[in-house]
Amino acid sequence: MMPDFLTIAGAAKFFGAARVLDNVDLGVKRAEFVSLLGPSGCGKTTLLRIVAGLLTPDAGTVRLDNADITRRPPHHRDIGVVFQNYALFPHLTVAENVAFGLEARRAPRGETRAAVARFLGLVHMSEFADRSVRALSGGQQQRVAVARALAVRPKLLLLDEPFSALDRKLRETMQIELKRLLRELSTTAVFVTHDQDEALMMSDRIAVMNRGTIEQLADPATVYHRPATGFVLGFVGLSSRIAGEVVAAAGEEVVLATPRGKLRAAGTLASGTKAFVAVRPERIRLGAGGGDNELELPLRDIVFQGSKMQLHFDAGEGDQVIVEAAQLPGLPLAPGAPVKLSFAPADALAFALDAKP
Amino acid sequence: MKPRRERIDPVAWLALPAVAYLALVYALPLIMLLARGVMGPKGFTIEPLASFLSDPFNWQVIANTLKIAALVTVVCLLIGYPTAFALAWSSGWTQVVLLAAIILPLSVGVVVKAFAWQIVLRRDGILSQLMVSLGVWDEPVRLLFTETGLVLGAANVFLPFMILPIYSVVRLIDPRLAEAAATLGATPVYRFRRIVLPLTLPGVLAGVVFVFSLSIAMYVIPSLLIGDRYQTLATLVGRSFLFMRNEQLGSTTATVLLVLAVAVVVGSGVLARRLGRSA
Ligand SMILES: Nc1ncnc2c1ncn2[C@@H]1O[C@H](COP(=O)(O)OP(=O)(O)O)[C@@H](O)[C@H]1O
Ligand SMILES: [Mg+2]
């Protein structure tokens, strides 16, 4: 197996008595794009700053390209950073901003000029080279920040919520552009976001963070379909959930007794545990035939979402059942009418109830 | 097409009270004073100015004035620049105490401060005693009535006018700019030279203009710290009016002083603009 290019081991950070990072381990491979996904305040920026050398961890080590860089100052790390507010140098032009890193490294003049031209071209900002950065829009500033960080060809690129200040339409364009650019340049990148859709669409792997720890590190499909914890399940995507009690457990499968009947789900919980069954909305079939688990619930609302329909059902106190379908089968679907639903035990996950976020 | 007329921004009217006040109590008397420097019994004349400039003593006075003002400005800049950063980057009580230490002395009159410096700078004053006990000096030295003593005293009095404008720009610098520069490979010295220094230049320039104009025109401090054997333009103006009763000389000297001060202020303004454009 390919060894990790960036390795964070046992990283911990306190601010006063508050534990902001708790024993974090993370490995990133060469040319991989890993996202740190988690709610605001969970420690994403803190972890990124430790990797960049802008913050010293209270415990743990950071290794990059086979060297321990835990105590190395940021200007000797060769790690580029795109800051959340971009932090462009306001007294310099676009081209001067991009040239800054090369000039700081005393690169030959011709090389600097070539790199500036190349990277401004890559982010489609060539015509703005001589503008003051103060006159740029948010999206343009973001491009300049990316060009500035990449122009020195760092070993690793860190991005802290680079799209959070952009409106949605522009954000989607920029996400695709950045992903393509980083792949073309084979850049190793760690990307911070609190936006699950952004993480799912851009990442090779996602580290889902909660209160200073990484709860799951896996590829997007695994994070979505096989969330490791109740927190990951709740943070990434919608799910239906029905609470009950484990009445039988065999291998990787459990049976829950719920007010809606017995349901089978994947999980390893002991009999007697209070738990809930979770299913992604697109894995529930309207009508029978979707699998061994069957429910019959009254329909509450139908929400039209363009490419799909979302159906909300009355599931009782504390539970929710949501189904997504590309089109509605020819059933009589009037609000209040009972509808038969079915799903496969393999698509259902059981989590202990105290783990519910 | 109609020629576009330069319109005055309506907001400028807000400055009307200040402009009116200054015109009445400052500009008008000043013009009357300066007029005496160029008006003889037979109308307009440059004779007083010409005779002023033909006297080598007066050139010595101009040199003294510029030298002291330049030295005071340099001392204030060297002490004030790092202090402004300490003030901007400290927090909580440290910042409150620092700010108080810089602003409260402004409420002590210049005369009081100058007398205090007389005590400090005497041959048996605390500065001399300290230097001797530290072994820096072999024997007590009188700094009172020397250029060094004057520069030290004046720099102390005018220091807040250097610190405060620099502080106000340092406070506005995003600390992430230096961090961004560091991640791009810039050493601390390079970061200072390319990022911090250029961004603080407007504050430095404002402080330099304040301190230079204050020290070029100071009267009480040199009177008490260096005495009348050493003349600057401002003390010469005072002497002309108060002791020599020579209004012509006083007005001419005041004109020269004003021209120098205006040259410095306008020159710095032009420099600031140029820096702002190239940076
Ligand atoms: N310099 C600091 N001093 C004290 N607390 C801090 C500091 N920086 C961050 N924190 C706290 O640490 C926690 C994690 O912050 P951060 O890493 O910025 O979170 P995120 O980027 O995931 O939103 C937050 O609760 C924040 O208030
Ligand atoms: Mg953050």
Side-chain angles (χ1 to χ4, degrees):
Chain A
M1 210 175 92
M2 200 166 63
D4 286 333
F5 186 59
L6 168 73
T7 315
I8 302 165
K13 184 71 194 176
F14 290 80
F15 285 122
R19 190 201 303 262
V20 172
L21 283 183
D22 184 10
N23 202 18
V24 169
D25 296 324
L26 177 65
V28 177
K29 304 206 182 313
R30 203 182 278 271
E32 195 181 19
F33 189 113
V34 170
S35 289
L36 302 178
L37 172 67
S40 174
C42 72
K44 307 180 296 289
T45 297
T46 304
L47 184 56
L48 213 63
R49 291 174 63 83
I50 286 175
V51 175
L54 300 171
L55 205 60
T56 314
D58 294 323
T61 57
V62 181
R63 295 181 63 82
L64 180 66
D65 199 11
N66 293 319
D68 185 336
I69 58 166
T70 315
R71 309 269 145 206
R72 198 181 283 181
H75 54 279
H76 289 144
R77 284 197 183 198
D78 218 0
I79 295 178
V81 181
V82 175
F83 288 79
Q84 192 164 8
N85 67 348
Y86 313 135
L88 297 179
F89 305 131
H91 56 303
L92 303 180
T93 63
V94 168
E96 286 166 344
N97 264 274
V98 178
F100 186 91
L102 291 129
E103 286 170 356
R105 287 154 202 247
R106 315 231 178 283
R109 215 170 255 257
E111 190 182 304
T112 302
R113 208 171 310 129
V116 169
R118 172 168 178 230
F119 282 90
L120 280 182
L122 284 173
V123 299
H124 312 299
M125 288 293 291
S126 301
E127 56 189 302
F128 296 93
D130 296 321
R131 294 269 188 96
S132 158
V133 294
R134 278 181 273 222
L136 300 182
S137 71
Q140 293 169 334
Q141 290 189 24
Q142 199 271 329
R143 288 160 197 260
V144 176
V146 169
R148 181 180 71 175
L150 286 175
V152 294
R153 306 310 318 270
K155 288 181 176 166
L156 174 67
L157 182 67
L158 307 176
L159 305 106
D160 194 355
E161 312 211 16
F163 305 125
S164 60
L166 308 182
D167 61 67
R168 190 166 144 197
K169 193 97 185 160
L170 181 59
R171 188 158 60 208
E172 284 170 4
T173 321
M174 302 287 279
Q175 285 163 349
I176 294 166
E177 261 182 36
L178 178 71
K179 177 80 214 221
R180 187 181 304 149
L181 177 63
L182 295 186
R183 185 174 308 138
E184 272 167 23
L185 298 170
S186 301
T187 309
T188 314
V190 177
F191 178 92
V192 160
T193 180
H194 65 261
D195 179 339
Q196 41 147 330
D197 295 327
E198 190 167 277
L200 289 173
M201 112 180 216
M202 295 188 73
S203 317
D204 295 322
R205 284 189 299 157
I206 300 174
V208 185
M209 290 185 67
N210 181 30
R211 297 214 214 114
T213 60
I214 292 179
E215 298 226 344
Q216 185 170 18
L217 173 61
D219 61 280
T222 306
V223 167
Y224 184 77
H225 290 300
R226 287 280 172 248
T229 65
F231 172 81
V232 176
L233 170 83
F235 194 76
V236 182
L238 279 175
S239 56
S240 298
R241 43 184 71 204
I242 301 162
E245 189 180 315
V246 179
V247 290
E252 297 281 287
E253 198 177 89
V254 292
V255 179
L256 267 78
T258 77
R260 314 277 146 213
K262 287 204 169 150
L263 296 173
R264 284 162 55 201
T268 49
L269 296 168
S271 276
T273 312
K274 297 253 183 263
F276 67 94
V277 171
V279 200
R280 294 299 184 189
E282 70 282 4
R283 295 297 172 113
I284 302 180
R285 169 105 155 243
L286 292 167
D292 289 351
N293 290 320
E294 294 197 346
L295 296 165
E296 193 168 80
L297 294 170
L299 179 66
R300 194 174 60 216
D301 291 309
I302 302 180
V303 181
F304 178 66
Q305 291 190 325
S307 61
K308 61 182 190 273
M309 311 291 286
Q310 200 175 64
L311 293 84
H312 295 251
F313 291 88
D314 275 326
E317 191 65 32
D319 293 344
Q320 66 175 13
V321 172
I322 303 168
V323 177
E324 280 176 3
Q327 60 213 24
L328 300 179
L331 297 166
L333 284 174
V339 179
K340 207 171 214 88
L341 305 172
S342 57
F343 55 93
D347 287 333
L349 297 169
F351 292 99
L353 206 50
D354 59 8
K356 199 168 167 177
Chain B
M1 221 170 69
K2 265 205 248 167
R4 228 180 97 238
R5 266 213 276 155
E6 285 287 327
R7 289 272 196 104
I8 294 176
D9 186 343
V11 174
W13 290 109
L14 292 174
L16 187 65
V19 171
Y21 178 78
L22 284 177
L24 198 65
V25 307
Y26 181 73
L28 198 61
L30 190 65
I31 289 168
M32 284 158 63
L33 173 77
L34 297 180
R36 278 188 222 172
V38 290
M39 298 302 276
K42 284 173 268 156
F44 178 81
T45 168
I46 60 153
E47 194 274 324
L49 188 62
S51 81
F52 180 88
L53 293 178
S54 67
D55 186 343
F57 172 79
N58 290 333
W59 281 103
Q60 184 58 51
V61 172
I62 293 175
N64 288 349
T65 308
L66 292 176
K67 177 180 173 192
I68 295 293
L71 286 173
V72 171
T73 308
V74 168
V75 171
C76 280
L77 186 58
L78 290 180
I79 301 174
Y81 194 78
T83 312
F85 281 80
L87 189 62
W89 288 349
S90 61
S91 56
W93 277 107
T94 323
Q95 191 175 39
V96 173
V97 170
L98 270 176
L99 205 56
I102 290 159
I103 291 178
L104 281 185
L106 289 174
S107 66
V108 178
V110 167
V111 180
V112 177
K113 269 188 267 195
F115 273 119
W117 272 97
Q118 279 200 341
I119 299 169
V120 172
L121 297 172
R122 285 197 307 237
R123 189 182 303 281
D124 58 350
I126 41 179
L127 187 62
S128 180
Q129 286 176 10
L130 182 74
M131 293 309 245
V132 170
S133 65
L134 285 178
V136 182
W137 292 345
D138 297 331
E139 54 183 44
V141 172
R142 172 179 58 79
L143 284 177
L144 189 57
F145 306 127
T146 67
E147 286 182 341
T148 312
L150 174 58
V151 169
L152 283 181
N156 166 256
V157 174
F158 299 141
L159 192 55
F161 298 96
M162 184 63 82
I163 295 174
L164 293 175
I166 301 178
Y167 160 72
S168 67
V169 294
V170 173
R171 241 166 39 120
L172 297 179
I173 298 180
D174 182 350
R176 265 166 295 199
L177 296 181
E179 292 183 346
T183 62
L184 289 165
T187 61
V189 172
Y190 193 82
R191 265 149 33 206
F192 177 77
R193 196 163 64 73
R194 290 284 316 271
I195 306 295
V196 178
L197 186 61
L199 289 174
T200 51
L201 269 191
V204 169
L205 221 53
V208 164
V209 168
F210 276 150
V211 172
F212 194 88
S213 352
L214 285 167
S215 16
I216 207 174
M218 65 184 171
Y219 175 73
V220 173
I221 304 171
S223 303
L224 291 175
L225 292 188
I226 202 161
D228 52 13
R229 299 239 312 272
Y230 189 95
Q231 288 293 322
T232 63
L233 287 170
T235 58
L236 187 60
V237 173
R239 252 161 74 94
S240 314
F241 282 109
L242 297 175
F243 302 114
M244 308 189 316
R245 303 274 167 198
N246 185 343
E247 291 191 358
Q248 181 94 69
L249 176 62
S251 303
T252 310
T253 315
T255 310
V256 173
L257 179 55
L258 188 72
V259 167
L260 285 178
V262 168
V264 167
V265 173
V266 171
S268 329
V270 171
L271 191 64
R273 248 160 206 268
R274 181 158 315 160
L275 286 174
R277 207 172 314 124
S278 74

